[in-house]
Amino acid sequence: MPELRIAHRMHTYTVIPRVLYIRRWGLKQTDSRPDRKPVMKAVVRPPCKFSSFTFRCLHQAVRTRSIPFAEATPVRPTTAPSPYTQVIAQPSVSSPPALSILDFQTLLRSYLISVVSCSPILLGPSLRILSLLTHSTSPLLRQNRILQFILKRTLYKHFCAGETPSEVQQTVAELKGRGFTGAIVAYAKEIVLDEQTAVENCKVDRTSDVEAWKNGVLETIKLTERGDYAALKYQFPHSLRKRSSTLANLECCRFSGAGFSIIQQLINKSTPGVAISQANKEICESAKSKGVGLLFDAEQHAVQDGIDQWTLALQRMYNRGDRAVVYGTYQAYLRSTPATLARHLTIAQQEGFNLGVKLVRGAYLASDPRHLFWATKEGTDNTFDGIAESLMRKQWNHVLTPGEPDVRRQPAFPNVDIVLATHSHESVRKAICIRQEQLRSGHGRVSLAYAQLMGMADEVSCELVQAGKQSDGAWEEKTEKPRAYKYVVWGTVGECLKYLLRRAEENRDALARAKEGRAALGKELRRRLLRL
């Protein structure tokens, strides 16, 4: 590849037509795709410090292309890059790092929380304190204004969108201002009951609970805009570990959402009652009229089959247009998920509706029976990536198969809309690699959105946002802008305490990912402090 070495003082600069990172103390070469138009940039060999005046002069010369080409030996990378580390468009000379879209307050708070999450010494006591606050009935703790103020300015502000509609809308507007496509909004209220109260309420058809749940979901939909999503869950006991016709074996149950009257219906996979059917219909009609997707979150395995059955019935009714309105959630860590999803895809193809799929790894490791899961994390990762690839390509593969070994007899693939909810850098990069390949080859692409929880995996989310910003100003035409979303919850500090506890526990279970996030946040924090 043509290059020109420019001698200045004791250093040598090289000019080549490649895409590069630029740093204050030097320029670093990165990989580039052969289909990109040449972009004149500069690199430093070897990386070294030089004056800001020299930097500005060299940078301006390269941008204005005032430095001519000279034939020389091509510059070859010393090591082969990972096939998925370069699939997201690399930043140009003037592009800041991905995490630069975060304001300094958010960045600092994220880093401090990640430090606690990665430290066994700090995380254990922090979780015990949060659990005490969550389950305590003492007015001294639950009505303490000082404590409420501290929680709201720290954990609550980091993971939650707000207490009032105006606060939620402001948070969503800030996300969109940073470059996110939109938000997935959910209501995070939960109720804690003891065993006797839980069993008594399950025997009563309390339509008032369903009505309150419906109103909360409708209020959540009002907080969204066209193109956003609203997440909802029936929310059943977190200690429900096995299918049973009674709830007498429960020790302490946390309920919320639609209440207690429909638990037995879901456990028995029976037809939904009149109250919940009418509530679901009103919710779906409201979302459809506003252009908002509905994500029915996953629950524990004991009630998940019933939820899948109800969600599939709603998809038959509302997913007949160009885009899906109702989405079901599929957990990759369950051994049964590939067969379940393949069955639903076959039904969607036979009955002619779009299947809305929200794909996650799973969140009930601590409560569901262990034999339901894959034995290793690699098994879960392979299942997640295999399902994601099958859905994006609209082709059956070795992970997602309809059960018919003869390819000629396999059913056609239905139309699907996907929400890829993952905090894995590798899974996101694999998905983008497939999408870019489809874009360059001219193949049709399904509707795909990426989602991460607010306050978590910012290094993944911000990279997607930065890739979207670069695609807007890219030289080449065939560059897809990823649709990046943040999952945000709203409610009072007291209502969101249990949600905050689950988020903190998830950081403990995903210690490796938390360390990766801490490293990225620390790097960006150092960059800003050194710049001052």
Side-chain angles (χ1 to χ4, degrees):
M1 182 175 294
E3 67 177 22
L4 176 64
R5 296 187 180 275
I6 304 173
H8 176 75
R9 297 182 182 175
M10 300 299 295
H11 310 300
T12 300
Y13 305 96
T14 305
V15 179
I16 58 173
R18 298 171 76 87
V19 177
L20 311 164
Y21 286 110
I22 281 194
R23 300 180 179 178
R24 183 181 181 89
W25 58 87
L27 307 175
K28 179 181 178 182
Q29 179 180 351
T30 62
D31 192 22
S32 64
R33 297 199 304 269
D35 62 318
R36 288 191 170 183
K37 294 183 179 179
V39 182
M40 288 296 298
K41 307 299 180 201
V43 296
V44 178
R45 250 179 236 288
C48 53
K49 290 189 176 182
F50 54 98
S51 68
S52 59
F53 174 78
T54 305
F55 175 86
R56 290 195 298 270
C57 292
L58 180 60
H59 185 189
Q60 182 64 24
V62 173
R63 290 187 61 185
T64 57
R65 300 180 181 235
S66 60
I67 302 178
F69 273 83
E71 295 297 331
T73 305
V75 179
R76 301 180 182 275
T78 56
T79 58
S82 170
Y84 301 113
T85 55
Q86 302 295 334
V87 295
I88 296 181
Q90 297 295 343
S92 64
V93 171
S94 58
S95 297
L99 287 171
S100 63
I101 68 173
L102 300 178
D103 60 80
F104 185 80
Q105 183 181 2
T106 302
L107 178 66
L108 181 59
R109 185 174 60 243
S110 299
Y111 180 72
L112 293 177
I113 291 177
S114 67
V115 168
V116 175
S117 301
C118 296
S119 171
I121 297 177
L122 299 176
L123 183 59
S126 300
L127 288 178
R128 285 192 290 272
I129 293 174
L130 185 58
S131 178
L132 175 64
L133 296 175
T134 301
H135 301 103
S136 174
T137 57
S138 171
L140 182 62
L141 295 178
R142 299 305 296 270
Q143 300 178 11
N144 190 314
R145 293 186 178 182
I146 298 178
L147 191 58
Q148 293 278 328
F149 178 85
I150 295 174
L151 283 174
K152 187 170 183 178
R153 294 298 183 275
T154 54
L155 286 178
Y156 180 88
K157 188 173 181 60
H158 188 68
F159 292 110
C160 303
E163 296 186 89
T164 63
S166 60
E167 291 181 358
V168 177
Q169 291 172 340
Q170 180 181 353
T171 300
V172 174
E174 290 175 357
L175 289 173
K176 293 183 178 180
R178 292 174 184 170
F180 287 92
T181 306
I184 302 173
V185 187
Y187 188 38
K189 183 178 180 179
E190 288 188 351
I191 303 171
V192 179
L193 298 177
D194 57 23
E195 175 184 347
Q196 181 180 358
T197 308
V199 174
E200 290 176 356
N201 281 281
C202 287
K203 297 178 181 178
V204 181
D205 185 13
R206 296 182 49 162
T207 57
S208 60
D209 292 335
V210 177
E211 187 71 16
W213 172 77
K214 180 195 72 175
N215 292 336
V217 175
L218 292 176
E219 184 67 24
T220 300
I221 294 175
K222 291 180 181 179
L223 299 177
T224 61
E225 299 177 353
R226 180 172 294 274
D228 289 340
Y229 296 89
L232 63 157
K233 60 192 307 178
Y234 299 113
Q235 290 182 337
F236 296 100
H238 288 252
S239 57
L240 185 56
R241 294 179 179 272
K242 60 182 180 179
R243 191 181 306 277
S244 174
S245 59
T246 67
L247 298 176
N249 61 326
L250 297 182
E251 297 176 0
C252 179
C253 310
R254 287 181 283 174
F255 296 88
S256 68
F260 321 106
S261 61
I262 60 174
I263 294 180
Q264 290 291 345
Q265 298 175 37
L266 284 169
I267 290 178
N268 299 327
K269 295 186 287 187
S270 58
T271 304
V274 176
I276 192 65
S277 295
Q278 184 62 30
N280 281 335
K281 182 178 179 180
E282 291 185 37
I283 290 169
C284 291
E285 291 288 350
S286 176
K288 184 178 181 180
S289 64
K290 197 168 184 179
V292 172
L294 282 177
L295 307 181
F296 281 83
D297 285 343
E299 302 283 353
Q300 290 178 310
H301 184 72
V303 294
Q304 188 58 48
D305 289 344
I307 293 174
D308 289 342
Q309 179 178 310
W310 290 8
T311 304
L312 198 63
L314 293 172
Q315 294 196 59
R316 288 190 180 97
M317 298 172 59
Y318 294 98
N319 289 6
R320 297 287 180 177
D322 296 334
R323 299 286 297 273
V325 176
V326 179
Y327 292 72
T329 299
Y330 299 86
Q331 302 179 95
Y333 73 166
L334 293 176
R335 295 175 181 268
S336 60
T337 292
T340 300
L341 180 54
R343 185 172 66 255
H344 292 176
L345 289 166
T346 303
I347 294 173
Q349 173 61 28
Q350 293 173 349
E351 301 185 17
F353 63 89
N354 297 341
L355 190 70
V357 177
K358 175 190 170 189
L359 184 61
V360 301
R361 276 176 164 76
Y364 294 96
L365 280 168
S367 56
D368 279 337
R370 189 65 184 85
H371 69 273
L372 298 173
F373 312 137
W374 297 107
T376 62
K377 180 181 182 298
E378 288 72 20
T380 299
D381 293 339
N382 293 336
T383 301
F384 184 95
D385 294 336
I387 290 176
E389 181 175 2
S390 177
L391 294 174
M392 285 186 288
R393 296 188 186 276
K394 296 181 66 174
Q395 295 175 355
W396 305 105
N397 60 17
H398 66 286
V399 175
L400 195 59
T401 172
E404 175 56 60
D406 190 350
V407 178
R408 294 171 298 180
R409 296 183 180 179
Q410 289 181 352
F413 215 91
N415 293 326
V416 293
D417 289 1
I418 312 169
V419 174
L420 209 60
T422 177
H423 292 172
S424 169
H425 242 141
E426 189 74 5
S427 294
V428 169
R429 285 167 170 165
K430 286 180 179 180
I432 293 182
C433 184
I434 294 173
R435 300 284 285 187
Q436 293 294 83
E437 174 192 328
Q438 292 176 327
L439 184 63
R440 290 194 295 266
S441 62
H443 291 153
R445 292 167 295 146
V446 300
S447 172
L448 174 65
Y450 304 90
Q452 290 82 37
L453 293 170
M454 180 176 174
M456 299 180 68
D458 284 333
E459 70 280 3
V460 179
S461 303
C462 294
E463 186 173 282
L464 287 167
V465 171
Q466 198 70 286
K469 291 181 178 180
Q470 291 184 40
S471 68
D472 290 338
W475 285 52
E476 64 273 18
E477 297 179 359
K478 294 185 177 181
T479 302
E480 182 186 53
K481 181 177 181 179
R483 297 169 56 218
Y485 288 78
K486 274 294 190 181
Y487 186 109
V488 302
V489 298
W490 72 284
T492 65
V493 175
E495 290 171 343
C496 294
L497 276 176
K498 298 173 185 63
Y499 174 83
L500 296 176
L501 180 60
R502 289 200 305 275
R503 296 288 78 82
E505 290 174 344
E506 283 182 8
N507 266 356
R508 179 177 60 181
D509 295 337
L511 189 59
R513 187 180 68 237
K515 288 181 178 179
E516 179 184 352
R518 182 190 63 179
L521 292 166
K523 182 178 179 180
E524 173 62 15
L525 190 60
R526 286 193 300 272
R527 185 189 72 85
R528 296 196 192 183
L529 292 176
L530 291 174
R531 188 181 59 184
L532 297 177

